[in-house]
Each structure stands twice: as structure tokens, then as C-alpha cells.
């Protein structure tokens, strides 16, 4: 009996040692995949490895509106004399220095608190337990990836392809993009995992075993190598890749689907449209100019812009008690049923207005805005039922429009991996009543409400794939 107890104790000690080594010796692990390993795979991919010059600059980011709307009104650089340019640069220098100082100190800690070493140390026991659970229960495989900026990215892959389940969920890979204080060891990977999907989790630069600092450019570089790893080393087809972003993870999730539009689907959970309104909510009003400049130049998490560049299936999950991505009130608890300030509302409106501009004009936008104000699932269902939406008619209309476009565009490049490119001009000639009904139908297909707070774990049954025609 003592021998059995001794063996059990020895196994327990070995597990603790193994888990601790998992964290502390990760820097000594061999590299499993690099950003430029795509070249070795062959020339069939439409996404080749970056050149050395491109790698030095980092992967491409959407920067058209990085300086805000005021930049659009400025005259082109060629129209101004060198003296005027120099004078303008001197005037802007103090603001640029203040913005840089704020971004690399308080700003980074607020936007990405998970990169603070004190938080990592405090969470270390939970991170170790999470790693042990993923390895032992789900046979997770940890791997080190190297991004084009040299950062080492800590990943964990759970493969369910051998046992895909009755619905075939395991044949799809869900790439999970964590929030600003999330780690794959204890983050949003649990919902798709328990729902039976294959899952690839990764940590932001500076989080867990990943090196570097979590600025948007570094995050995008990390996401780039994670997607390439899934495609070229794990051998999932693009159509079987689902990108799931929670909170700030919506930025890297939308960046991935914007850059790789052939990916199968996108799920955004508790995500916002733009960081500026949320930053202004928590910072002093007198700092407004500095805050806007700092966000635009250093933390331009332009989720809505990137989302509108993806032509595939999208599902937004809006949490009904989410006070983190809400601008209602100022540093006060969110009152029950107050969803009007949730930035997910603007994300949905931007998406629908881009994809279906005719349907969302005037009365379409107005009725969707009223539907978004419903403070509970019961209120939402009652509002939807009041308009007597004929879902069969809506589906038939959309499918007919799609078939007509595919016939007209047959053999042309405009017919992408997900069908005719957006925007769709469906809805022309419809009465105001029918446009309102079609707008409500589309809104309900693209957004699902969840009775949860921002940090509540998503239930497995609440993780769903987006709707598609």
C-alpha cells in the first residue's frame, strides 16, 4: 500500500514539475514554424511568405483613417512647400512625443493589461492548471511560432479530426483570439473546445510564453504566422477555418479574415467597433485630444473597418450585461437592460450598411436601431414578432439575388470564394414595410444576444457558426 502511495505521489510531483517546466523553459523550445516556412510548402498558396523588406516593416495594416477624419481634409503633401511641412512637423512634435510617452506607459497597460508582469505572476498557478488541463484532457500540442518581427508566439493546438463527432465539428479549426487580459490557458478556447471543434489558441506578444509587446502591428504579425501555421503545417483547408475573437481579440480576428478572405467564417464575441469611444469613457475629459491622437497613432483597433473588408459569413455575439464595451454612463455600473451604449450595436450597423446599403437606408437602419435597444431576449423576440417577418420570403429574395449575380459574374474575378462581392443592391423596388422586415431578418441572422457579462465564460451551446445562404 505504501508503494502505491509513493508512486502516486511521485506522479503528482512529476506533473507539477512538467507543468512548471512548460512555462519557464518555453524559451528554450525548438521553433515549430516560422513566418517564412510557407516557401518550403510550395507555390500553390495565394499567400506566400513575406519578403525580407516587408518582414522588417511588419504585415500590412489598414491605415487609411489612422489619423481620423481631420486627415481627409488636409491638402496633399505635394501641394505644400517644404517650409510649411517643416513648420507643421515642428508644431506637431510636442503632441507626438506626449502621445508616444502615453502609449508606451499607461496606454499599453490599460489596453493590454495581460502583458503586465505582475498580472502574469499572479495568474501563474491558474495558467499552469489550464495548460495541464488542455494537455491531459484534450491532448493539446504546444508549439512555438516565430512571427516576421522575431517575436515568439506561444500556441496550443487541440486536434479533433480523428473524432469529429456526429455533426463533424472536429473537422473545423477554430482559431481563438483572446482579449486584452486573456490567455489561451484560461480564455475563450473553452466554448469551442467543449462544443467539439478542433481549436488553436495563441497568446498575444508579451502574454504568457509569447515574447514582445502587444501593439497592433505586433499583434497582426503574430496572427499572420498563426494563420499560416494552421494552413501549411496543420493542413486545414481555408474553408474549414473559423476565426473567433473575444473583446480586443476582435481586432486580430477581423485582420485575419480581411487579409485571408477565403477563410471560412468569423465569430466576434463582446467586441467593439472602434477603441476611441471606449478610451474616452475611462480617461479624463481634458485629455480628449491626446487620447484620440494616441489611439489613432498607436492603438488604432479599427475593428469595423476591417470587418467590412471580409466577404464571408459573420456572427456577432452581444452580451446583454456587458459594461466593458459600453459607453453608457461613465465609470458607473450598467443598469439592467441598458444595451443602447454597447459598441457591438455600431459594429452591426456598419456591417449591414456596407453589405446591404439599399435595405439599410433610412427606415431599415431605424428599425434595426430600435431592435438593438431591446434589453432582454424576451423583448427582442417580441419586437421581432411585431413586424411579422416572413423568413421564407427573405431567404428566397436573397437567394434569387445571389443566383442572378452569380450568373452575371460567371467566370469573372468579382465572384470570390464566398460568392458575389459586397455590397449587394438587393431590396430595390421594395416597399418601406418589406425593407424594414428584410432589415430585421438580416440583423437577427448576423447578431445573437447572450445573457452574460463581459467576462462570463461562453457556454458551449452559445458558440455557433455564422449563418449563410
Amino acid at each position: 500500500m505504501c508503494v502505491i502511495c509513493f508512486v502516486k505521489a511521485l506522479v503528482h510531483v512529476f506533473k507539477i514539475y512538467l507543468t512548471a517546466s512548460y512555462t519557464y523553459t518555453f524559451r528554450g523550445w525548438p521553433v515549430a514554424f516560422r513566418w517564412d516556412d510557407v516557401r518550403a510548402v510550395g507555390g500553390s498558396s495565394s499567400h506566400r511568405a513575406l519578403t525580407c523588406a516587408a518582414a522588417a516593416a511588419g504585415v500590412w495594416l489598414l491605415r487609411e483613417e489612422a489619423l481620423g477624419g481631420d486627415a481627409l481634409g488636409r491638402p496633399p503633401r505635394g501641394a505644400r512647400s517644404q517650409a510649411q511641412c517643416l513648420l507643421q512637423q515642428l508644431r506637431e512634435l510636442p503632441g507626438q512625443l506626449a502621445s508616444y510617452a502615453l502609449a508606451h506607459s499607461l496606454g499599453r497597460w490599460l489596453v493590454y493589461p495581460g502583458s503586465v508582469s505582475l498580472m502574469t505572476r499572479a495568474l501563474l498557478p491558474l495558467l499552469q492548471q489550464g495548460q495541464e488541463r488542455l494537455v491531459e484532457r484534450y491532448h493539446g500540442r504546444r508549439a512555438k511560432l516565430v512571427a516576421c518581427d522575431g517575436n515568439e508566439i506561444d500556441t496550443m493546438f487541440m486536434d479533433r479530426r480523428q473524432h469529429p463527432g456526429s455533426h463533424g465539428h472536429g473537422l473545423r479549426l477554430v482559431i481563438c483570439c483572446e482579449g486584452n487580459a486573456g490567455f489561451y490557458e484560461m480564455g475563450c478556447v473553452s466554448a469551442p473546445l467543449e462544443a467539439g471543434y478542433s481549436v488553436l489558441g495563441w497568446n498575444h506578444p508579451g502574454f504568457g510564453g509569447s515574447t514582445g509587446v502587444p501593439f497592433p502591428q505586433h499583434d497582426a504579425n503574430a496572427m499572420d504566422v498563426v494563420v499560416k501555421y494552421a494552413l501549411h503545417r496543420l493542413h486545414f483547408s481555408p474553408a474549414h477555418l473559423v476565426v473567433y475573437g473575444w473583446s480586443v481579440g476582435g481586432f486580430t480576428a477581423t485582420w485575419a479574415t480581411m487579409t485571408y478572405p477565403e477563410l471560412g467564417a468569423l465569430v466576434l464575441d463582446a467586441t467593439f467597433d472602434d477603441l476611441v469611444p471606449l478610451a474616452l469613457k475611462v480617461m479624463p475629459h481634458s485629455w480628449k485630444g491626446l487620447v484620440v491622437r494616441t489611439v489613432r497613432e498607436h492603438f488604432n483597433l479599427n475593428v469595423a473597418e476591417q470587418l467590412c473588408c471580409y466577404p464571408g459569413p459573420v456572427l456577432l455575439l452581444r452580451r446583454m450585461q456587458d459594461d466593458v464595451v459600453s459607453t453608457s454612463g461613465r465609470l458607473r455600473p450598467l443598469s439592467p437592460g441598458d444595451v443602447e451604449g454597447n459598441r457591438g450595436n455600431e459594429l452591426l450597423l456598419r456591417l449591414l450598411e456596407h453589405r446591404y446599403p439599399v435595405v439599410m437606408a433610412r427606415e431599415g437602419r431605424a428599425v434595426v436601431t430600435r431592435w438593438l435597444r431591446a434589453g432582454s431576449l424576451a423583448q427582442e423576440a417580441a419586437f421581432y414578432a411585431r413586424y411579422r417577418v416572413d423568413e421564407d420570403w427573405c431567404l428566397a429574395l436573397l437567394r434569387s439575388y445571389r443566383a442572378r449575380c452569380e450568373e452575371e459574374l460567371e467566370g469573372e474575378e468579382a465572384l470570390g470564394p464566398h460568392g458575389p462581392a459586397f455590397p449587394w443592391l438587393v431590396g430595390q423596388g421594395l416597399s418601406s414595410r418589406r425593407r424594414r422586415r428584410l432589415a430585421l431578418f438580416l440583423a437577427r441572422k448576423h447578431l445573437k444576444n447572450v445573457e452574460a457579462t463581459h467576462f462570463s465564460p461562453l457556454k458551449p451551446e452559445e458558440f455557433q457558426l455564422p449563418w449563410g445562404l
Side-chain angles (χ1 to χ4, degrees):
M1 192 67 179
C2 293
V3 174
I4 295 176
C5 293
F6 175 75
V7 171
K8 288 182 178 180
L10 189 62
V11 170
H12 179 68
V13 170
F14 179 74
K15 285 183 179 179
I16 294 176
Y17 172 76
L18 183 63
T19 306
S21 299
Y22 232 53
T23 301
Y24 293 115
T25 65
F26 185 66
R27 291 189 179 182
W29 278 40
V31 174
F33 187 83
R34 289 175 49 86
W35 58 274
D36 54 356
D37 283 349
V38 180
R39 290 177 182 150
V41 177
S44 60
S45 173
S46 61
H47 294 281
R48 303 299 303 278
L50 299 172
T51 64
C52 293
V59 297
W60 180 80
L61 288 182
L62 189 63
R63 298 184 186 275
E64 282 79 5
E65 298 183 15
L67 296 178
D70 294 339
L72 300 177
R74 296 176 183 174
R77 290 185 180 272
R80 294 181 290 173
S81 67
Q82 292 183 352
Q84 288 175 324
C85 290
L86 180 59
L87 183 60
Q88 183 67 24
Q89 290 175 359
L90 290 175
R91 288 175 178 173
E92 293 181 353
L93 183 58
Q96 290 176 347
L97 292 175
S99 175
Y100 181 88
L102 178 61
H104 287 77
S105 56
L106 180 63
R108 181 169 68 85
W109 302 335
L110 290 176
V111 179
Y112 292 99
S115 64
V116 179
S117 58
L118 288 177
M119 174 174 283
T120 303
R121 292 177 183 176
L123 294 176
L124 187 58
L126 295 177
L127 298 180
Q128 292 175 340
Q129 291 175 13
Q131 286 180 352
E132 183 178 350
R133 170 176 170 268
L134 294 176
V135 171
E136 293 187 353
R137 182 174 176 180
Y138 297 103
H139 308 288
R141 302 205 307 264
R142 200 181 189 195
K144 179 193 289 187
L145 316 183
V146 176
C148 63
D149 53 15
N151 285 336
E152 298 175 351
I153 307 305
D154 184 5
T155 69
M156 183 74 76
F157 171 53
M158 281 66 66
D159 194 352
R160 308 304 254 313
R161 284 174 290 189
Q162 297 299 322
H163 305 283
S166 58
H167 299 289
H169 288 174
L171 300 177
R172 293 182 180 271
L173 176 66
V174 179
I175 300 178
C176 295
C177 304
E178 299 290 345
N180 62 357
F183 303 79
Y184 72 70
E185 293 92 338
M186 47 180 290
C188 64
V189 301
S190 59
L193 258 183
E194 294 179 19
Y197 293 91
S198 295
V199 173
L200 176 59
W202 61 282
N203 281 332
H204 297 282
F207 284 54
S210 297
T211 63
V213 288
F215 284 97
Q217 182 68 68
H218 299 161
D219 244 1
N221 296 341
M223 190 68 201
D224 180 65
V225 73
V226 168
V227 173
K228 288 175 178 174
Y229 175 65
L231 292 173
H232 300 289
R233 182 56 56 84
L234 302 182
H235 302 295
F236 281 87
S237 67
H240 285 167
L241 256 63
V242 180
V243 185
Y244 172 40
W246 171 63
S247 191
V248 168
F251 170 75
T252 46
T254 53
W255 181 90
T257 50
M258 172 187 70
T259 309
Y260 297 84
E262 69 272 25
L263 297 185
L266 172 64
V267 180
L268 296 178
D269 178 13
T271 306
F272 49 87
D273 60 325
D274 186 27
L275 187 59
V276 168
L278 299 174
L280 292 175
K281 173 187 173 182
V282 299
M283 298 299 286
H285 182 73
S286 59
W287 290 25
K288 180 178 179 180
L290 178 60
V291 169
V292 172
R293 182 181 192 122
T294 302
V295 170
R296 289 288 176 238
E297 292 185 352
H298 300 280
F299 299 105
N300 192 34
L301 305 184
N302 47 348
V303 176
E305 290 179 67
Q306 296 183 158
L307 175 61
C308 291
C309 295
Y310 175 57
V314 174
L315 176 64
L316 308 181
L317 299 177
R318 183 180 69 164
R319 303 194 176 207
M320 305 292 279
Q321 289 93 39
D322 194 337
D323 58 350
V324 175
V325 297
S326 176
T327 54
S328 295
R330 183 175 176 85
L331 302 179
R332 291 181 299 183
L334 196 68
S335 59
D338 184 3
V339 294
E340 191 170 352
N342 191 301
R343 299 307 299 185
N345 301 343
E346 293 299 322
L347 195 58
L348 175 68
L349 292 172
R350 288 279 298 273
L351 176 65
L352 294 182
E353 286 175 339
H354 167 73
R355 293 191 168 190
Y356 310 99
V358 176
V359 177
M360 290 299 293
R362 295 185 301 277
E363 61 271 3
R365 179 186 173 93
V367 73
V368 172
T369 301
R370 292 197 299 271
W371 175 75
L372 287 170
R373 292 173 185 164
S376 67
L377 298 179
Q379 292 179 12
E380 174 212 337
F383 185 93
Y384 189 80
R386 191 188 313 160
Y387 280 83
R388 299 179 181 177
V389 178
D390 187 344
E391 297 192 351
D392 292 334
W393 173 82
C394 293
L395 281 172
L397 178 66
L398 293 170
R399 286 171 177 165
S400 174
Y401 180 88
R402 173 172 177 153
R404 189 164 65 250
C405 289
E406 289 176 341
E407 185 177 346
E408 294 173 356
L409 299 173
E410 187 174 2
E412 298 184 20
E413 292 184 0
L415 194 61
H418 300 285
F422 292 105
W424 287 10
L425 301 181
V426 62
Q428 292 178 328
L430 293 180
S431 64
S432 297
R433 177 179 296 180
R434 289 204 160 186
R435 275 204 301 270
R436 282 193 289 265
R437 290 173 175 172
L438 183 56
L440 276 177
F441 172 81
L442 290 169
R444 205 179 195 198
K445 289 297 184 182
H446 286 84
L447 183 141
K448 300 293 183 185
N449 286 311
V450 179
E451 291 283 1
T453 64
H454 187 80
F455 297 103
S456 301
L458 194 70
K459 298 176 182 177
E461 60 271 17
E462 293 171 338
F463 181 84
Q464 306 172 18
L465 294 185
W467 163 81
L469 283 175

